[in-house]
Amino acid sequence: MATTEAEQVVETSGGTYFPVHTDSIRLDSVPSFALYFQPSVDQPYVLYCERKTTFTREAKRRLQQNKITQLLITKKDRAAYSRYLAEHLNDVLEDARLTVREKSTILYDSAQAVVEDVLKEPTQRANIERGKVVVQRTVEFMRSKEFMLEHLLRTISCDYYLYTHSINVTAYSIALAMRSGYIDPATLREVANGALLHDVGETTLPPDLKNKEGQLTSEEWKLMRAHPEEGVKLLQKTGCLGEIAQDIVLCHHEKLNGHGYPNKLKGDQISPFVRIVTIADIFDALTTERFHQKRMSSFEALKLMRETMRDELDMDLFRNFVTMMGGKR
Ligand SMILES: [Fe+2]
């Protein structure tokens, strides 16, 4: 299982550093951020490439010669890295020298950087547009012949952060939608945009509420249950999401038996796209490690969902999900 960037963040006296995959830095590109590396575990970080310098074939060759697959960037360069990735993702995904597994890892890392920005400033149109670029590339990659779900599942983080959860739910949702016969790229992109931003309303919650130990007060529940509507309000300010995506953000906690929120919708009032994202959302919540909650294996999670959520979830879609996961993870 690949670790996430957030897990590997390194604090030093020189600042905070984030690891980046060397293959995400493209030959002859001119990154606007500096790249560092650590010669060995007990040594300090060394500047490898100055910002605004061409990443040459020679620079790449030296890395390969020394079997270095990871470089570091500073915290203040994170936004620049995120923009760089969104710009070069196409190039990475079309690189025949990279394996599908490596592409999946870089795609996942790029998505993390971009989604973190989106969640920090959800009303910034530029952030949402970058998120949409990543979604578009993800859909294209997942629809290509070379794509194998297994590789992406190996990359998926088992630790909960809002941004990793958002990306995991997006990957599961695209895969489940395709498995269920939705093949139109524009529709898949809308489903993916909605999945990526389904919990964006949580950014308006008090920071400690999500991780509170024990029972929530009725006031806290009220706040928590308002996150779908808050999410739609945030996104309407940017004006760059379509109807399917907004519907997903608003309805992802609705249940087929009418016991969900915010509008207690029932059966056919809930669109198939919302139902897809709901399954993906619950599955990822159960299978990732959270504060005060141990993660379940995928087998345990699917069993629990089948046994206790029969009236809440679309069972036809759920069966597709079970077959798709094939008992992995
Ligand atoms: Fe949610």
Side-chain angles (χ1 to χ4, degrees):
M1 181 74 56
T3 47
T4 67
E5 285 182 16
E7 284 168 286
Q8 297 178 9
V9 169
V10 185
E11 300 273 358
T12 71
S13 53
T16 308
Y17 291 82
F18 293 89
V20 302
H21 197 292
T22 48
D23 286 325
S24 68
I25 311 299
R26 310 306 294 167
L27 268 189
D28 299 327
S29 68
V30 187
S32 60
F33 45 87
L35 292 158
Y36 297 80
F37 83 106
Q38 192 174 25
S40 66
V41 188
D42 48 356
Q43 284 181 289
Y45 294 151
V46 175
L47 180 67
Y48 189 72
C49 273
E50 295 251 29
R51 69 185 67 231
K52 295 196 172 140
T53 342
T54 308
F55 187 69
T56 59
R57 198 167 289 279
E58 175 55 22
K60 172 115 185 160
R61 194 191 59 77
R62 283 203 313 269
L63 290 175
Q64 285 167 335
Q65 207 171 35
N66 293 298
K67 297 195 170 45
I68 295 171
T69 56
Q70 188 176 283
L71 291 169
L72 297 118
I73 56 165
T74 63
K75 188 180 179 182
K76 69 174 175 16
D77 278 340
R78 199 99 200 280
Y81 176 63
S82 150
R83 278 191 288 276
Y84 173 89
L85 282 175
E87 223 173 89
H88 291 86
L89 202 48
N90 223 10
D91 186 23
V92 169
L93 296 178
E94 280 172 10
D95 188 339
R97 290 162 305 174
L98 291 172
T99 65
V100 181
R101 177 129 192 233
E102 285 167 332
K103 289 180 189 177
S104 294
T105 308
I106 295 173
L107 180 64
Y108 195 83
D109 285 353
S110 331
Q112 278 192 42
V114 172
V115 174
E116 230 189 320
D117 280 356
V118 172
L119 294 174
K120 230 180 273 159
E121 290 178 298
T123 52
Q124 279 295 319
R125 206 188 156 99
N127 288 345
I128 303 270
E129 292 298 344
R130 274 210 305 284
K132 283 167 73 176
V133 169
V134 173
V135 158
Q136 187 172 345
R137 301 285 175 260
T138 307
V139 169
E140 280 162 14
F141 181 55
M142 289 180 74
R143 289 181 80 242
S144 68
K145 281 200 181 67
E146 62 171 349
F147 177 74
M148 283 166 71
L149 185 63
E150 211 184 310
H151 293 298
L152 194 62
L153 294 184
R154 274 201 216 119
T155 310
I156 278 180
S157 163
C158 289
D159 286 302
Y160 177 82
Y161 297 94
L162 185 49
Y163 59 93
T164 49
H165 172 64
S166 306
I167 300 159
N168 297 353
V169 172
T170 306
Y172 292 136
S173 300
I174 303 172
L176 177 57
M178 281 165 45
R179 182 95 191 184
S180 307
Y182 297 101
I183 49 164
D184 170 44
T187 308
L188 287 172
R189 277 200 299 275
E190 271 289 283
V191 173
N193 286 334
L196 193 69
L197 295 161
H198 73 282
D199 268 341
V200 72
E202 283 193 7
T203 58
T204 63
L205 294 174
D208 297 337
L209 187 56
K210 197 90 211 288
N211 306 320
K212 186 182 168 184
E213 202 168 4
Q215 295 271 315
L216 297 186
T217 65
S218 62
E219 200 46 45
E220 287 167 336
W221 264 119
K222 218 167 126 190
L223 278 177
M224 188 68 105
R225 285 170 176 252
H227 81 266
E229 284 159 315
E230 290 301 320
V232 171
K233 274 191 226 158
L234 282 176
L235 295 173
Q236 279 173 347
K237 286 184 193 157
T238 70
C240 46
L241 278 202
E243 262 176 45
I244 294 179
Q246 288 192 39
D247 192 38
I248 289 170
V249 176
L250 182 64
C251 303
H252 69 278
H253 286 290
E254 299 287 359
K255 296 173 179 172
L256 290 187
N257 61 5
H259 292 176
Y261 61 90
N263 294 314
K264 295 192 184 332
L265 300 182
K266 263 185 173 172
D268 288 347
Q269 292 175 307
I270 305 171
S271 85
F273 306 119
V274 169
R275 299 176 193 199
I276 285 171
V277 175
T278 302
I279 291 172
D281 183 23
I282 295 174
F283 178 78
D284 189 65
L286 293 172
T287 53
T288 43
E289 191 94 27
R290 295 184 178 216
F291 298 91
H292 323 302
Q293 182 201 296
K294 276 237 140 330
R295 66 178 282 258
M296 287 182 181
S297 70
S298 94
F299 177 79
E300 290 165 332
L302 294 172
K303 186 164 177 280
L304 179 93
M305 290 167 79
R306 192 182 57 231
E307 287 173 357
T308 64
M309 299 174 195
R310 189 167 281 280
D311 302 334
E312 302 172 6
L313 303 175
D314 182 317
M315 279 295 128
D316 289 332
L317 290 171
F318 179 70
R319 271 187 288 277
N320 291 346
F321 190 69
V322 173
T323 325
M324 182 182 95
M325 296 305 293
K328 299 225 166 46
R329 207 184 160 209

